[in-house]
Amino acid sequence: MADINEELRVLVTAEVDKAIKNLKSVDRQTDATEKLFKSLGSSIAATFSVKAVVNFASQSVKAYNDQKRAVEVLNSVLESTGATAWTSSTELQEMASSLQKVTNYGDETILSMHQVLLGFRNIKGDNFKEATKAILDMATVMKMDLSSAAQSIGKALDDPIHGMDSLKKQGFNFTEAQKKVIQSFLDAGDAASAQKIILDELNGTFGGAAEAAADSATQIKNAFGDMQEGIGEFLSGFVNNKVGEAIVNGLSFLGEAFGSFHDNIAFLKAIK
């Protein structure tokens, strides 16, 4: 461990000394140049301080572990509900990821909602995809959490005749004519078409709301979260590992090697 740290320190120190010599060759005020360069990058030093690095690394590992747990639970629900017969964990993760890109909902939140929706075993295939969108849209308009929205829509679709009352709180009152059509589809064994009538009603009322409400700040935050998960996956292999400690110390050495970048950027720009 000590050898790794020393090698990192020697490497960074050598690079700083070399840069100082190069600056001296283009600037006659060698004393001022050397002092400026050695104080260069306080902001970088702060960014790469041990505390900042450790905090970011810890947050990244936690983000990765949270995502990993969400996928593990999803996989378990897929198996227990028999949904592996018509979909897969990869397909649902890709669906969640694509919806994250166009809404304010993070993929992990969508995967958690999928765990609820999978409990309604009669919702499958394309109707499952449409139900997912309908849940995001209704939750956006009605200011509901995704789990509650999934419960309401899931009940309505799983048992269209008896379950549609679960949507009354959201203002849906299906006509007798619609109920007769739904019943006729169910009598013919065509549950998917019966569900489609309900999905069409939901889409006519809430359709597109989740995408319309998307804002760049939230989407950037979600994208940053994905980046942290990727970093966390990498770092998780170094937890309580000497290599991980060396990475943190190496970044710390980098911060120490530079001084105040913010205060001296004008000086650097002036060097031709």
Side-chain angles (χ1 to χ4, degrees):
M1 179 63 177
D3 291 340
I4 295 175
N5 291 342
E6 186 58 29
E7 287 177 9
L8 287 168
R9 187 184 298 278
V10 170
L11 176 62
V12 173
T13 301
E15 290 301 313
V16 172
D17 288 342
K18 182 170 66 175
I20 291 174
K21 292 178 181 178
N22 290 336
L23 283 173
K24 285 181 178 179
S25 67
V26 296
D27 190 279
R28 292 182 179 179
Q29 296 178 339
T30 56
D31 291 338
T33 299
E34 187 168 352
K35 289 178 181 179
L36 282 168
F37 189 80
K38 284 186 174 178
S39 68
L40 214 149
S42 62
S43 60
I44 293 178
T47 300
F48 288 105
S49 68
V50 173
K51 181 179 179 181
V53 171
V54 170
N55 286 344
F56 180 77
S58 297
Q59 292 167 4
S60 297
V61 171
K62 182 181 182 302
Y64 166 66
N65 286 333
D66 288 345
Q67 178 73 8
K68 183 181 177 183
R69 278 192 292 271
V71 173
E72 288 172 346
V73 174
L74 176 69
N75 292 343
S76 177
V77 174
L78 282 168
E79 290 290 339
S80 64
T81 59
T84 51
W86 56 269
T87 190
S88 67
S89 178
T90 298
E91 184 178 354
L92 294 184
Q93 289 179 63
E94 290 175 350
M95 186 194 307
S97 179
S98 66
L99 288 171
Q100 174 182 280
K101 293 176 182 177
V102 295
T103 71
N104 285 339
Y105 295 102
D107 56 353
E108 184 181 329
T109 303
I110 296 172
L111 288 179
S112 295
M113 178 271 289
H114 276 162
Q115 295 164 19
V116 176
L117 190 59
L118 285 168
F120 300 98
R121 303 188 185 193
N122 291 324
I123 308 172
K124 304 174 182 178
D126 290 339
N127 281 358
F128 187 92
K129 296 178 183 178
E130 292 304 312
T132 295
K133 293 179 181 178
I135 289 166
L136 267 59
D137 289 334
M138 187 170 81
T140 299
V141 175
M142 303 302 294
K143 301 188 186 318
M144 303 170 65
D145 63 87
L146 291 190
S147 179
S148 297
Q151 287 285 350
S152 295
I153 291 179
K155 289 177 181 177
L157 297 177
D158 196 54
D159 183 1
I161 287 297
H162 301 100
M164 64 175 66
D165 286 345
S166 65
L167 294 174
K168 281 187 176 181
K169 289 183 178 180
Q170 286 72 47
F172 289 92
N173 290 296
F174 292 88
T175 66
E176 289 302 317
Q178 287 176 312
K179 291 179 180 179
K180 287 182 179 179
V181 173
I182 290 174
Q183 186 62 64
S184 67
F185 279 129
L186 292 174
D187 291 341
D190 189 359
S193 293
Q195 293 170 349
K196 191 70 168 60
I197 293 175
I198 297 174
L199 287 169
D200 286 344
E201 283 295 313
L202 289 166
N203 187 55
T205 302
F206 302 125
E211 291 191 24
D215 64 83
S216 58
T218 301
Q219 290 183 313
I220 289 172
K221 180 181 178 181
N222 288 336
F224 182 78
D226 283 348
M227 180 193 74
Q228 275 198 306
E229 289 166 11
I231 294 173
E233 182 177 8
F234 171 76
L235 291 177
S236 63
F238 297 135
V239 174
N240 297 323
N241 184 296
K242 289 186 177 182
V243 177
E245 293 177 21
I247 291 174
V248 172
N249 288 332
L251 290 172
S252 177
F253 296 160
L254 179 61
E256 293 171 2
F258 291 92
S260 178
F261 178 81
H262 177 74
D263 292 339
N264 301 295
I265 188 65
F267 169 77
L268 290 179
K269 287 181 177 180
I271 297 174
K272 305 297 184 180

